[in-house]
């Protein structure tokens, strides 16, 4: 998922919150969640699911959202043509079915007759057309637009060479939508599970703040936005017009914004939350030993890494210096002593477990630590640096206790082994998002990436020219050609070979610093029936229920 971030890493930022409102929301939610839905009085309190959220959503506009907190909420508010099951299977959603022609490039989606917006209006094919065109329009500045690059004319539109209405999507009639691709993409229905492909209601585009007004925003998902208390909570109510509303068991969903994982854990143990966004790393081993702790976890297709600034500054044009920094990083020490929650040391961008792919790795992966450090010091010295003439770096990251510890540890390793002086720059999340997009403000920036679809290209495409996730502005024409060739290659084995060659080429130039692969973790109260954890950590509130 095109997350420039990943929810398990809890990208955080803080806001001043109205304490009385927060206290009331927490207290009322605590009572409501234990009230059976029943068949009684219409005045009965709704059944409430209380979910922790690691930070304030950056945007509730499905085409503009680019952080995991936003995606978590948007998956409840909007529904695209397809959706992802708890096991990761692609299922029909607003479209009841689809077909593809013999060329593999023309998809026809048939919308459900009973698909409705939260105000009762029918969901129409033209609204998907408007949303997809809006996503690729440069004026929208969509962080997820690159996912739609396979649609015919999308690359030229993204570059500003064609108007958005030239995107090859059309409404055949109210219920039939046709999308033409530039080449076959067998996982295209999987791409459409991302929130950037959600439809938009006419009123959302016509009104200022049309995507974030509680009680006024019109959406087509299982829930509708009722209230937003900035920095504190979001309240969602069941969309009575949703085509599958009978399977959404909770009448309301309360997202409680708790940036601190330890505070979230405390609130869970106090009974104030039904489902957490994360689990404190230092609690993981303890909870794993407790059979009734409510801990659930699984490996995720997601990577924690840093981008090096290859556009300007001391690391640009110096791949050997970037290699020295990678060699001097003890990833095993970080996962064993700092994260301590099942994370796997990363020596590639693409994680293990991606379909039809074995990740490329660094050629020195199996070298002894002493050999790695000797080479790192040699490269560092060859670049003109020493303990008396140290390299000075600025490291940018978002505020979060674990991320802070990881960054401090990396800076300490570089200082001890090479003599590097690292300035640590921590920002609240929205400020971090803005600074991350401006390479003049950093030399190395923290990034988290979760797969948008189960394919290696979901990771490797982020490093292409023009990708909004290529924060360090690395550029390599051969890398781009390899990925372009892989995109049109129909032979599975040959396509895998091209993708592996591209990753190896990229790793050998050191534009990024992989640190570890994520593990998704959460706590669920004993009275809640929770779906299995999706391999890409996509969780829908409609899949939760109260245990019988």
């Amino acid at each position: 998922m095109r997350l420039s971030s990943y929810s398990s890493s809890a990208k955080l930022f803080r806001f001043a919150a109205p304490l009385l409102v927060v206290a009331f929301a927490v207290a009322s939610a605590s009572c409501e969640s234990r009230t059976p839905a029943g068949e009684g009085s219409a005045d009965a309190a709704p059944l409430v699911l209380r979910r922790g959220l690691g930070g304030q959503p950056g945007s509730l506009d499905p085409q503009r959202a680019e952080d995991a907190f936003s995606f978590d909420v948007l998956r409840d508010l909007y529904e695209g043509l397809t959706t992802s099951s708890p096991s990761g299977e692609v299922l029909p959603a607003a479209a009841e079915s689809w077909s593809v022609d013999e060329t593999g490039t023309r998809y026809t989606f048939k919308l459900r007759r009973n698909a409705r917006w939260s105000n009762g209006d029918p969901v129409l094919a033209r609204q998907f057309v408007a949303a997809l065109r809006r996503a690729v329009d440069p004026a929208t500045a969509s962080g997820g637009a690159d996912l739609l690059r396979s649609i015919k004319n999308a690359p030229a539109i993204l570059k500003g060479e064609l108007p958005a209405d030239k995107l090859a999507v059309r409404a055949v009639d109210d219920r039939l939508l046709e999308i033409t691709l530039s080449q076959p993409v067998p996982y295209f229905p999987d791409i459409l599970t991302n929130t950037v492909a959600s439809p938009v209601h006419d009123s959302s585009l016509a009104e200022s703040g049309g995507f974030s007004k509680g009680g006024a925003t019109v959406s087509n998902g299982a829930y509708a936005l009722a209230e937003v208390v900035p920095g504190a909570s979001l309240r969602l109510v069941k969309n009575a017009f949703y085509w599958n509303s009978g399977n959404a068991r909770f009448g309301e969903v309360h997202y409680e914004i708790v940036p601190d994982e330890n505070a979230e854990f405390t609130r869970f143990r106090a009974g104030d939350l039904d489902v957490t966004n994360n689990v404190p790393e230092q609690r993981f081993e303890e909870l794993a030993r407790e059979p009734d702790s409510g801990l659930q976890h699984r490996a995720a297709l997601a990577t924690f890494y840093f981008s090096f600034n290859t556009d300007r500054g001391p690391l640009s044009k110096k791949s050997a210096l970037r290699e020295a920094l990678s060699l001097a990083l003890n990833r095993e020490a970080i996962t064993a002593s700092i994260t301590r929650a099942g994370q796997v040391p990363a020596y590639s961008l693409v994680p293990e477990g991606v379909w039809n792919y074995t990740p490329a790795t660094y050629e020195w992966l199996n070298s002894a630590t002493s050999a790695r450090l000797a080479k790192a010091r040699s490269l560092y010295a060859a670049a003109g640096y020493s303990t008396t003439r140290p390299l000075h770096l600025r490291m940018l990251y978002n505020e979060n206790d674990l991320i802070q510890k990881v960054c401090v540890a990396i800076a300490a390793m570089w200082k001890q082994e090479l003599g590097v002086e690292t300035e640590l720059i921590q920002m609240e999340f929205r400020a971090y998002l803005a600074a991350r997009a401006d390479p003049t403000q950093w030399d190395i920036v923290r990034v988290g990436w979760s797969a948008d679809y189960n394919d290696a290209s979901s990771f490797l495409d982020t490093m292409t020219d023009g990708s909004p996730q290529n924060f360090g502005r690395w550029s390599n024409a051969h890398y781009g050609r390899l990925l372009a060739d892989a995109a049109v290659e129909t032979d599975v084995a040959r396509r895998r070979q091209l993708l592996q060659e591209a990753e190896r080429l990229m790793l050998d130039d050191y534009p990024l610093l992989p640190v570890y692969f994520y593990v998704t973790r959460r706590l669920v109260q004993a009275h809640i029936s929770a779906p299995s954890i999706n391999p890409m950590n996509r969780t829908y509130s409609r899949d939760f229920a109260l245990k019988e």
Side-chain angles (χ1 to χ4, degrees):
M1 172 166 282
R2 44 242 125 340
L3 294 213
S4 49
S5 44
Y6 180 66
S7 59
S8 276
S9 69
K11 308 150 301 283
L12 310 180
F13 56 112
R14 299 183 172 89
F15 288 81
L19 297 182
L20 291 177
V21 175
V22 175
F24 174 79
V26 171
S28 61
S30 178
C31 297
E32 289 169 348
S33 68
R34 288 161 178 77
T35 305
E39 298 293 337
S41 167
D43 295 329
L47 190 66
V48 176
L49 177 68
R50 301 158 307 163
R51 294 180 59 179
L53 193 64
Q56 177 81 24
S59 173
L60 294 181
D61 180 335
Q63 274 77 56
R64 287 195 167 118
E66 59 177 354
D67 63 274
F69 306 138
S70 299
F71 297 142
D72 282 346
V73 178
L74 286 169
R75 276 190 281 269
D76 284 346
L77 296 178
Y78 292 89
E79 182 171 76
L81 297 164
T82 60
T83 190
S84 183
S85 74
S87 64
E89 180 186 3
V90 179
L91 300 175
E96 65 182 16
S97 63
W98 64 86
S99 60
V100 60
D101 70 359
E102 64 279 0
T103 70
T105 61
R106 182 169 297 167
Y107 284 79
T108 302
F109 295 86
K110 184 178 182 181
L111 302 189
R112 297 180 186 276
R113 191 177 297 278
N114 58 343
R116 291 285 185 275
W117 293 95
S118 53
N119 66 351
D121 289 348
V123 177
L124 304 174
R126 67 171 175 80
Q127 292 165 328
F128 277 97
V129 171
L132 293 170
R133 287 176 174 171
R134 178 173 182 262
V136 300
D137 189 336
T140 304
S142 171
D146 207 53
L147 284 168
L148 306 174
R149 184 173 291 273
S150 57
I151 301 177
K152 188 176 179 180
N153 292 335
I157 296 169
L158 288 166
K159 293 177 182 177
E161 297 170 355
L162 285 176
D165 62 8
K166 294 300 182 183
L167 189 70
V169 294
R170 74 182 186 100
V172 179
D173 57 34
D174 284 350
R175 293 184 57 218
L176 285 181
L177 175 70
E178 185 179 276
I179 302 178
T180 302
L181 310 184
S182 54
Q183 68 265 333
V185 179
Y187 49 84
F188 184 66
D190 197 348
I191 290 176
L192 295 178
T193 63
N194 289 281
T195 58
V196 71
S198 301
V200 289
H201 190 269
D202 305 350
S203 65
S204 296
L205 299 176
E207 299 177 15
S208 175
F211 291 101
S212 57
K213 288 183 179 178
T217 297
V218 180
S219 58
N220 74 319
Y223 293 90
L225 185 66
E227 181 183 19
V228 178
V229 181
S233 63
L234 297 93
R235 183 168 65 89
L236 279 54
V237 297
K238 190 173 179 178
N239 174 7
F241 295 102
Y242 179 58
W243 67 271
N244 198 21
S245 63
N247 281 334
R249 277 78 163 197
F250 290 93
E252 294 190 5
V253 177
H254 293 181
Y255 281 99
E256 301 295 334
I257 299 172
V258 192
D260 184 87
E261 294 172 1
N262 291 301
E264 184 185 42
F265 174 77
T266 299
R267 290 183 63 173
F268 176 83
R269 281 292 175 93
D272 294 336
L273 294 173
D274 296 315
V275 184
T276 65
N277 178 68
N278 211 338
V279 176
E281 277 72 14
Q282 69 273 22
R283 297 277 188 177
F284 182 83
E285 294 174 334
E286 164 198 343
L287 292 168
R289 292 192 295 267
E290 296 178 13
D292 300 320
S293 66
L295 176 66
Q296 299 178 354
H297 62 96
R298 68 159 293 163
L301 300 182
T303 309
F304 180 109
Y305 66 100
F306 290 84
S307 278
F308 290 126
N309 189 339
T310 63
D311 184 59
R312 64 189 68 202
L315 299 179
S316 64
K317 313 295 188 297
K318 294 183 178 179
S319 63
L321 185 56
R322 302 192 296 265
E323 180 181 3
L325 296 173
S326 188
L327 284 161
L329 175 61
N330 189 331
R331 296 160 174 83
E332 285 73 16
I334 288 175
T335 56
S337 303
I338 298 176
T339 62
R340 301 177 60 188
Q343 293 90 341
V344 179
Y347 292 90
S348 60
L349 175 59
V350 183
E352 294 283 353
V354 169
W355 175 78
N356 188 44
Y357 193 74
T358 300
T361 57
Y362 297 116
E363 52 86 18
W364 44 260
L365 172 61
N366 296 318
S367 299
T369 300
S370 57
R372 293 184 192 180
L373 292 176
K375 184 176 182 182
R377 293 171 186 137
S378 175
L379 293 171
Y380 187 70
Y385 297 99
S386 65
T387 53
T388 57
R389 186 180 181 276
L391 170 67
H392 290 267
L393 295 175
R394 298 165 299 162
M395 178 185 288
L396 173 68
Y397 57 98
N398 53 288
E399 61 178 3
N400 169 273
D401 288 342
L402 176 63
I403 293 173
Q404 166 83 2
K405 291 175 182 177
V406 170
C407 291
V408 168
I410 292 174
M413 290 176 186
W414 287 345
K415 173 68 173 177
Q416 177 179 324
E417 305 299 344
L418 301 176
V420 177
E421 298 286 349
T422 306
E423 177 188 359
L424 299 176
I425 306 172
Q426 184 188 70
M427 293 186 178
E428 59 87 17
F429 192 58
R430 270 199 269 202
Y432 154 80
L433 289 178
R436 185 180 63 179
D438 179 8
T440 64
Q441 299 190 46
W442 50 269
D443 301 306
I444 176 172
V445 62
R446 204 281 310 179
V447 184
W449 186 257
S450 174
D452 296 312
Y453 46 92
N454 194 354
D455 190 83
S457 63
S458 180
F459 290 89
L460 300 179
D461 284 351
T462 65
M463 295 302 294
T464 57
D465 278 334
S467 168
Q469 309 306 325
N470 187 358
F471 302 110
R473 301 185 183 178
W474 180 71
S475 178
N476 186 291
H478 186 39
Y479 180 82
R481 286 194 297 272
L482 287 169
L483 291 183
D485 290 345
V488 297
E489 180 57 61
T490 57
D491 181 84
V492 172
R494 174 58 181 159
R495 182 173 183 273
R496 178 176 62 247
Q497 182 181 7
L498 289 168
L499 293 172
Q500 289 171 330
E501 185 179 346
E503 184 174 25
R504 188 172 298 106
L505 183 154
M506 180 267 293
L507 292 175
D508 286 347
D509 201 36
Y510 296 89
L512 50 79
L513 180 73
V515 181
Y516 59 78
F517 300 122
Y518 288 101
V519 172
T520 301
R521 309 173 303 277
R522 70 185 181 197
L523 294 171
V524 179
Q525 296 287 4
H527 65 279
I528 299 293
S529 175
S532 57
I533 297 177
N534 180 281
M536 290 180 286
N537 198 30
R538 294 177 181 173
T539 304
Y540 300 83
S541 295
R542 67 183 185 226
D543 293 329
F544 288 87
L546 197 66
K547 286 184 178 176
E548 298 294 335

